[in-house]
Amino acid sequence: MSQTQDWPLFEIFVRAKSGLDHKHVGSLHAADAAMAIEHARDLYTRREEGVSLWVVKSSDIVASDPRDSDALFTPAADKIYRHPTFYDIPKEVETL
Amino acid sequence: MYTQSLNEPSSRPVEALDDAERLARFQARIDAEEKIEPKDWMPDAYRQTLIRQISQHAHSEIVGMLPEGNWISRAPSLMRKSILIAKVQDEGGHGAYLYSAAETLGVSRAELIEQLLSGRAKYSSIFNYPTPTWADTAAIGWLVDGAAIMNQIPLCRCSYGPYARAMVRVCKEESFHQRQGYHAMLSLARGTPSQRRMAQDALNRWWWPALMMFGPPDTASHHTGLSVKWKIKRFTNDELRQKFVDFTVPQAEFLGLTVPDPVLRKGDDGHYITGALDWSEFNAVLKGNGPCNAERLRERRTAHDDGAWVREAAIAHAAKRSARAVA
Ligand SMILES: [Fe+2]
Ligand SMILES: [Fe+2]
């Protein structure tokens, strides 16, 4: 049994239809980006799930660390004045 | 995407939290129905349980292509052949989704394939039964994919994000598998006397193995406790089996076929009561002594070995192209 190394891992993003963002759907192994597109077509769009594909080498993705989540994301929670609902406007003022 | 980053050594000081506290926080997240994602802290036993379950699941999809693949070249019509090819291709896709989900836990694809081919990994025992007639492909779609759906729908809400997302994708496709199987079964059941006999014979052979797909009875299952606590598993083996029986018996009746269980009856509560399952057979098949265990592994190994030069050539070709692009 020959024990070859895995092909590189690619992350796959599919645009379901024009007008929508590309959305992450999963990953697959391919020798290069061109093959990743071909495999992604077979693996993630067998039932017209998409009209466009992005493939990105997984090792090229830089992700935030879950341990930084508090520092990165919770400060927004006490800035409720950023939301329109924070402001009480008299009823008489319309279309605001 | 997460495999590489998981393997990177952490550059930060070891967290001050002790394991008990981290475990408590982890369980609180699970209890609050939060999903666990690849880079989140998780107890090692959770990680190992998932690697085992997801990879066994992936192996089952891949080995599951063989019994039906046996009939692609001999399907009775072009339409049935196209359907069967699409179905078997889906199963290969399910294997790929699931291997990817397992890889987010820090195990490599090559390692998982090696575990399957060396015979160390388990896969669903159902695929070690033979498919001697066309009706077997129909019965597999109806019963085996039907049982798989019962098992898989609750997994769409599994606490581990990548597994849950893979299962959503799988479940969308499984419905086609079950319906095409029942449709093929219906054609046989409404066909000539010998076609009806063929359909009945397939039901006779697949009924009990399909019931055993849900795993050992709750009284004998080792994994259920923690898996339920961690929301990897939402229902017990017996609960899912009961649901399957309740759904399937009327479907068999509609086909005009007889479920091969002489003591099967409907209880006062509306649930069917089946005869006893022969677990010694299940265990024998699981241990490798089923009718096709050796053949299935041999076929997988041959396919893997025959594909080796393609995998190597593709890498060499990619390396050459990227060298040329740089030059
Ligand atoms: Fe499947
Ligand atoms: Fe299926």
Side-chain angles (χ1 to χ4, degrees):
Chain A
M1 205 181 307
S2 81
Q3 188 60 64
T4 33
Q5 238 203 317
D6 280 332
W7 284 337
L9 194 64
F10 286 83
E11 298 305 317
I12 312 304
F13 300 79
V14 176
R15 186 202 292 284
K17 57 182 185 188
S18 62
L20 296 180
D21 294 322
H22 284 78
K23 191 171 163 238
H24 183 244
V25 292
S27 58
L28 54 77
H29 290 273
D32 58 16
M35 188 196 269
I37 293 268
E38 285 164 5
H39 284 184
R41 181 242 167 243
D42 286 344
L43 193 56
Y44 292 107
T45 62
R46 287 197 301 281
R47 290 179 175 80
E48 300 180 293
E49 289 94 337
V51 295
S52 164
L53 290 165
W54 286 353
V55 303
V56 183
K57 244 192 189 166
S58 309
S59 55
D60 287 341
I61 290 184
V62 180
S64 64
D65 190 314
R67 287 170 298 183
D68 295 335
S69 291
D70 279 357
L72 286 172
F73 307 117
T74 47
D78 61 9
K79 294 182 176 61
I80 47 173
Y81 49 83
R82 291 187 173 186
H83 297 280
T85 44
F86 177 74
Y87 303 93
D88 246 342
I89 306 289
K91 268 200 292 291
E92 295 75 14
V93 186
E94 285 172 1
T95 67
L96 191 76
Chain B
M1 93 167 27
Y2 313 93
T3 320
Q4 280 85 353
S5 32
L6 270 172
N7 294 339
E8 278 169 19
S10 169
S11 55
R12 346 181 128 216
V14 178
E15 276 161 299
L17 293 175
D18 63 9
D19 268 4
E21 195 178 335
R22 282 197 289 197
L23 201 60
R25 278 193 193 178
F26 173 82
Q27 191 60 50
R29 291 187 64 195
I30 302 244
D31 293 343
E33 296 287 333
E34 262 184 61
K35 295 289 181 213
I36 306 301
E37 294 295 342
K39 293 175 79 181
D40 295 342
W41 184 86
M42 61 186 86
D44 196 52
Y46 178 81
R47 184 185 301 278
Q48 297 312 325
T49 299
L50 280 168
I51 290 176
R52 192 191 62 233
Q53 179 171 335
I54 301 172
S55 62
Q56 283 180 9
H57 195 162
H59 299 327
S60 303
E61 303 283 352
I62 298 299
V63 176
M65 297 166 82
L66 296 172
E68 288 177 287
N70 180 35
W71 279 93
I72 288 177
S73 62
R74 288 169 290 156
S77 71
L78 192 55
M79 182 45 90
R80 292 284 179 208
K81 184 181 192 137
S82 306
I83 292 168
L84 191 56
I85 290 172
K87 198 242 181 203
V88 172
Q89 187 191 19
D90 277 354
E91 304 300 6
H94 297 175
Y97 305 149
L98 289 161
Y99 282 130
S100 285
E103 286 175 85
T104 64
L105 293 157
V107 62
S108 78
R109 178 80 58 110
E111 238 173 300
L112 297 175
I113 302 287
E114 162 62 23
Q115 286 172 6
L116 171 65
L117 298 182
S118 68
R120 275 179 296 139
K122 284 183 189 144
Y123 55 86
S124 181
S125 57
I126 194 82
F127 300 117
N128 290 319
Y129 292 90
T131 46
T133 76
W134 166 252
D136 291 313
T137 61
I140 287 179
W142 171 37
L143 299 172
V144 175
D145 290 84
I149 291 173
M150 274 313 160
N151 262 326
Q152 290 170 349
I153 285 179
L155 287 173
C156 297
R157 294 192 296 130
C158 156
S159 61
Y160 186 58
Y163 192 24
R165 291 191 288 274
M167 292 318 301
V168 168
R169 203 170 292 284
V170 166
C171 284
K172 275 188 197 157
E173 300 177 355
E174 287 297 351
S175 176
F176 146 57
H177 299 178
Q178 190 188 20
R179 288 172 69 104
Q180 66 81 32
Y182 193 76
H183 189 264
M185 207 69 181
L186 199 56
S187 298
L188 293 172
R190 289 177 174 169
T192 64
S194 76
Q195 284 175 322
R196 294 188 57 80
R197 272 198 303 279
M198 192 192 273
Q200 180 64 55
D201 166 64
L203 173 57
N204 291 349
R205 284 180 291 108
W206 291 96
W207 174 254
W208 294 107
L211 294 196
M212 291 184 206
M213 283 176 69
F214 296 93
D218 295 348
T219 47
S221 177
H222 313 298
H223 303 309
T224 299
L226 268 181
S227 288
V228 168
K229 187 176 167 207
W230 285 334
K231 301 201 173 155
I232 296 171
K233 205 174 164 69
R234 302 243 173 197
F235 299 97
T236 69
N237 296 349
D238 286 337
E239 284 167 347
L240 291 168
R241 185 166 18 244
Q242 182 66 53
K243 213 167 161 191
F244 175 73
V245 172
D246 289 344
F247 278 23
T248 310
V249 172
Q251 294 166 1
E253 282 165 2
F254 184 83
L255 293 171
L257 300 177
T258 309
V259 172
D261 179 351
V263 303
L264 180 77
R265 66 187 168 87
K266 206 174 199 169
D268 297 332
D269 57 359
H271 294 296
Y272 286 93
I273 301 163
T274 69
L277 280 72
D278 179 5
W279 291 106
S280 61
E281 183 198 304
F282 175 81
N283 289 323
V285 178
L286 204 61
K287 285 208 177 74
N289 303 318
C292 300
N293 293 59
E295 182 188 330
R296 300 289 185 239
L297 270 190
R298 191 167 354 108
E299 272 192 71
R300 276 314 311 153
R301 284 189 196 122
T302 305
H304 189 75
D305 290 348
D306 288 353
W309 73 270
V310 180
R311 294 190 295 276
E312 283 155 21
I315 281 288
H317 181 65
K320 201 166 82 181
R321 279 222 298 209
S322 79
R324 216 179 274 152
V326 169

